[in-house]
Amino acid sequence: MSKSVDTVILVAAGLLCAVPAMADTFGLGRPATQAEIVAWDIDVRPDGEGLPEGQGTAVEGEEIYAEQCAACHGDFGEGIDRWPVLVGGVDTLENDRPVKTIGSYWPYASTIWDYVHRAMPFGEAQSLEDDEVYAITAYLLYMNDIIEDDEAVLSHETFGDIVMPNADGFIPDNRATVDEMVGGAPCMKDCTAGPVSVTMRARVLDVTPEDEN
Amino acid sequence: MASPDKTALSRRALLSGAAGSAALATVARADDPAITGMQEWNQYLGDGVDAAPYGVPSEFEADVVRRDVPWLTADPVSSVNFTPLHKLEGIITPNGLCFERHHAGVALIDPAEHRLMINGLVDRPLVFTMEDIKRFPRENKVYFLECAANTGMEWRGAQLNGCQFTHGMVHCVMYTGVPLRYLLEEAGVKTNAKWIMPEGADASAMTRSIPLEKALDDCLVAFAMNGEALRPEQGYPLRIVVPGWEGNMWVKWLRRIEVGDEPWHHREETSKYTDLLEGGKARRFTWEMDVKSVITSPSPQAPITHGKGHTVISGLAWSGRGTIDRVDVSLDGGRNWQTARIDGPSHDKALHRFYHEFDWDGSPLLLQSRAVDSEGWVQPTKDALRAVRGTESIYHNNSIQTWHVRDGGEVENVEVG
């Protein structure tokens, strides 16, 4: 559909909006143009909806990652200081100290593409070309052993082939049926076997910030 | 422990009786220079009316400020600070003290350049200016906003000495805004639509998936808080209000709402804001904030300084599922409880203020509060919560807090058993 036809249709829709006959609306706002929607509608879903045409490989991604990402996330995705760790942690989710990364935790590869594209690099969001985002995504998947071949082309057409290791790691909110925190009159008197005593003190860790005031 | 009720009654009777007054009158004490002396403010003129066109608190309240925990995050532009709950009263949080959580700093937006787009599964993709939005019918609603990670540092045990740090990722203000359903109806939601996705205009372009049912129920698109425009750090000029649900969903600097038939599973609802349980599975879409309460004073930053005698315990309770039916207070670490007095308005999904007044005999206390909401949910002990959630959930820690009051009135964050 050509842009001029779009415009005609959208203008017509706009006129309809303003007609009082549409009793359930207030006639406020104006139709969004196709170019406006394209400019802002950047979200990507697990089924691939929203992915633009494009492609990249892990080899290409490594170079971009080194320039754009490694300063915070580390050369190997290990995370500098408190910046997020991107790689590793597989089979640690049951551990005392789980390491939640793209490889060990994230259920969908589309989330990587979407997030890198909308919010990264930190402080220069939405500055990467689509092909660069494909390449960085491929490299992150490669570092997490989800893509084995660093020359494999990740594109809008091959994206659906990616299955994340922890895709089945999530369950719906079942607090209401599992956690048993509903109903019953709470105990008011002699609720513990004996007198209660202190078992742990925050001061032992002493991580409360000093007050400068 | 002696019955607190009896102690309180006998002392009150003594102090209010004639014998009590006579005893006080005979105590020899020095004259108070605050009375006998002349103060500067008794004699000299103060500032005129224009000294502070936008008023600020007294300089003697300079310690009532938001504070952060620097070791928690890598960079202050993607970080959080905390509401000074220990110094606040009532149920409304002053705008300048509402905790902040940004993912890419505070976006500074000219409202004349701000737009809200609604697109996706709608009959008419629309764009609204701020002027357009203020022409819709608007509502005023008091709601709390709690970060899902509030109290998240306490899962493994007592860690931070101050309810500002343990519980300060919550605030409660009156929002003025447009019911989201008016905007969605204006665009005409298609019959196969099931979800919406609000998106921010800041450099993190925050997104969350929200069921259409919630969007049509009680969500607002708000432009004012506590009677004035939103503060920049709270999303000026426009944010979405998602009553009772975790704060991350209340997208600030709101510029777009997409309507869809599936959730988007974006970063903040997969990598973050999912609750890892023992056994390695994680709950997702745990939107509602559980019933919760905390004693705000006394607390580690607000010790008892007056010595023994009549004492006021002040606290807050809230639930993402409704109103607060009841708050109980324990002075002995949860062995015995008394029902506290809720004072002030009881709004749906808003903070509630409770008090318990008692006569402190100066001996150590283990203070706790326990809230019950209008849906029957009861605030759990730390042990009970860990039994069902483990210690790696990060989010949704609504367990009962214990403050240890020492005999000198100093207060510390402890766990009990």
Side-chain angles (χ1 to χ4, degrees):
Chain A
M1 191 179 281
S2 79
K3 277 195 175 175
S4 57
V5 175
D6 267 359
T7 307
V8 170
I9 290 169
L10 290 165
V11 166
L15 291 172
L16 282 174
C17 273
V19 171
M22 301 184 70
D24 57 343
T25 69
F26 296 93
L28 295 171
R30 64 159 177 84
T33 71
Q34 195 57 34
E36 289 170 341
I37 294 171
V38 167
W40 275 9
D41 188 353
I42 60 171
D43 51 90
V44 177
R45 294 196 317 199
D47 61 4
E49 187 184 279
L51 274 176
E53 286 187 19
Q55 63 174 53
T57 66
V59 169
E60 292 160 359
E62 181 174 11
E63 196 174 325
I64 305 164
Y65 178 92
E67 285 176 17
Q68 303 279 6
C69 319
C72 294
H73 294 294
D75 288 342
F76 307 99
E78 74 277 18
I80 308 287
D81 298 329
R82 300 279 297 175
W83 296 108
V85 179
L86 304 180
V87 173
V90 173
D91 294 332
T92 67
L93 297 183
E94 295 179 55
N95 292 5
D96 186 42
R97 299 279 181 180
V99 179
K100 295 189 283 186
T101 73
I102 289 170
S104 70
Y105 195 64
W106 292 34
Y108 302 109
S110 60
T111 312
I112 309 169
W113 203 101
D114 178 87
Y115 185 70
V116 170
H117 178 244
R118 73 171 53 245
M120 294 289 114
F122 190 65
E124 208 169 342
Q126 297 183 37
S127 61
L128 297 168
E129 300 295 326
D130 290 345
D131 283 351
E132 293 179 308
V133 179
Y134 277 107
I136 289 172
T137 304
Y139 184 57
L140 291 170
L141 293 170
Y142 174 77
M143 280 202 290
N144 277 291
D145 298 325
I146 297 163
I147 287 179
E148 288 179 10
D149 180 359
D150 62 2
E151 306 262 9
V153 174
L154 183 66
S155 73
H156 59 286
E157 286 170 333
T158 62
F159 214 93
D161 300 338
I162 307 292
V163 177
M164 299 296 276
N166 196 42
D168 297 327
F170 294 83
I171 59 173
D173 181 0
N174 57 4
R175 284 176 290 179
T177 53
V178 172
D179 290 3
E180 296 183 342
M181 289 171 196
V182 189
C187 175
M188 296 299 286
K189 192 168 167 51
D190 297 329
C191 304
T192 57
V196 174
S197 58
V198 172
T199 57
M200 183 181 183
R201 306 181 123 88
R203 66 178 62 241
V204 173
L205 281 164
D206 198 22
V207 288
T208 310
E210 293 286 324
D211 197 338
E212 71 277 15
N213 290 302
Chain B
M1 175 177 281
S3 161
D5 279 344
K6 276 189 180 170
T7 313
L9 276 175
S10 62
R11 287 186 184 237
R12 252 187 238 121
L14 179 70
L15 289 172
S16 63
S21 302
L24 286 173
T26 58
V27 174
R29 60 167 72 237
D31 296 327
D32 184 352
I35 296 172
T36 58
M38 184 70 90
Q39 309 291 345
E40 273 183 45
W41 55 86
N42 302 144
Q43 197 156 25
Y44 305 116
L45 302 177
D47 287 337
V49 291
D50 281 338
Y54 194 111
V56 295
S58 161
E59 64 185 86
F60 298 101
E61 301 294 319
D63 64 327
V64 187
V65 291
R66 297 178 287 214
R67 291 178 176 83
D68 70 351
V69 177
W71 54 262
L72 202 58
T73 50
D75 190 310
V77 302
S78 180
S79 191
V80 63
N81 62 16
F82 300 84
T83 307
L85 298 179
H86 60 294
K87 289 285 192 177
L88 301 182
E89 268 301 338
I91 65 164
I92 296 293
T93 314
N95 285 342
L97 295 176
C98 292
F99 82 95
E100 303 170 80
R101 172 58 169 128
H102 317 308
H103 294 76
V106 179
L108 295 177
I109 297 176
D110 176 354
E113 299 297 319
H114 191 70
R115 305 287 183 269
L116 174 65
M117 178 188 291
I118 297 182
N119 74 307
L121 294 179
V122 293
D123 298 329
R124 301 172 292 278
L126 293 177
V127 172
F128 302 100
T129 63
M130 288 302 296
E131 269 192 333
D132 293 335
I133 286 164
K134 290 177 180 177
R135 291 171 64 193
F136 282 93
R138 57 187 85 157
E139 291 182 355
N140 292 286
K141 298 280 189 181
V142 177
Y143 292 122
F144 78 81
L145 181 162
E146 185 183 18
C147 175
N150 198 21
T151 321
M153 283 97 80
E154 305 285 309
W155 274 107
R156 285 173 169 270
Q159 185 160 240
L160 291 161
N161 262 321
C163 76
Q164 178 167 21
F165 303 112
T166 56
H167 290 77
M169 284 195 274
V170 65
H171 60 63
C172 183
V173 304
M174 177 179 278
Y175 293 96
T176 306
V178 176
L180 177 55
R181 70 175 175 278
Y182 292 161
L183 301 177
L184 292 172
E185 284 166 0
E186 199 71 19
V189 174
K190 290 188 183 294
T191 53
N192 59 331
K194 292 192 178 70
W195 296 80
I196 67 154
M197 187 204 70
E199 183 177 65
D202 66 319
S204 78
M206 178 62 62
T207 47
R208 287 292 301 259
S209 303
I210 300 175
L212 182 63
E213 190 180 5
K214 177 71 172 176
L216 294 174
D217 178 20
D218 58 1
C219 289
L220 297 175
V221 171
F223 50 82
M225 58 194 290
N226 290 336
E228 62 178 1
L230 294 177
R231 290 291 170 90
E233 66 269 32
Q234 303 300 337
Y236 180 89
L238 202 62
R239 92 176 305 170
I240 185 169
V241 169
V242 191
W245 290 17
E246 55 191 23
N248 180 253
M249 307 176 82
W250 300 44
V251 171
K252 300 187 284 192
W253 311 293
L254 179 70
R255 81 168 189 184
R256 191 170 71 95
I257 294 171
E258 183 164 334
V259 181
D261 58 354
E262 296 280 343
W264 281 262
H265 293 289
H266 279 179
R267 191 234 192 192
E268 305 297 318
E269 52 201 12
T270 55
S271 165
K272 308 293 179 187
Y273 302 97
T274 48
D275 315 334
L276 184 59
L277 304 172
E278 279 185 339
K281 295 286 185 191
R283 285 174 177 157
R284 68 176 153 208
F285 298 150
T286 48
W287 301 304
E288 286 166 318
M289 297 309 296
D290 292 311
V291 62
K292 190 165 175 176
S293 71
V294 66
I295 292 170
T296 53
S297 176
S299 63
Q301 298 159 288
I304 301 175
T305 55
H306 57 60
K308 62 185 180 182
H310 194 251
T311 300
V312 174
I313 289 175
S314 179
L316 291 168
W318 62 95
S319 169
R321 296 185 176 87
T323 56
I324 294 298
D325 264 9
R326 202 176 96 199
V327 181
D328 301 319
V329 167
S330 173
L331 307 180
D332 59 6
R335 185 164 163 76
N336 295 290
W337 298 84
Q338 300 161 79
T339 299
R341 182 170 65 84
I342 294 176
D343 187 81
S346 171
H347 293 291
D348 186 44
K349 304 178 181 69
L351 294 187
H352 291 58
R353 176 62 63 176
F354 69 85
Y355 297 108
H356 178 69
E357 294 92 357
F358 74 112
D359 199 6
W360 184 40
D361 63 6
S363 60
L365 305 169
L366 292 170
L367 298 182
Q368 294 185 343
S369 64
R370 175 183 67 194
V372 182
D373 73 14
S374 53
E375 298 296 303
W377 289 65
V378 182
Q379 188 179 4
T381 64
K382 290 197 170 192
D383 287 343
L385 192 67
R386 288 187 192 117
V388 290
R389 307 244 181 107
T391 59
E392 293 300 333
S393 277
I394 300 176
Y395 308 105
H396 296 285
N397 183 347
N398 67 320
S399 57
I400 291 171
Q401 172 67 44
T402 309
W403 303 128
H404 177 210
V405 181
R406 294 163 170 250
D407 48 16
E410 185 189 358
V411 184
E412 61 173 334
N413 175 11
V414 298
E415 295 226 357
V416 292

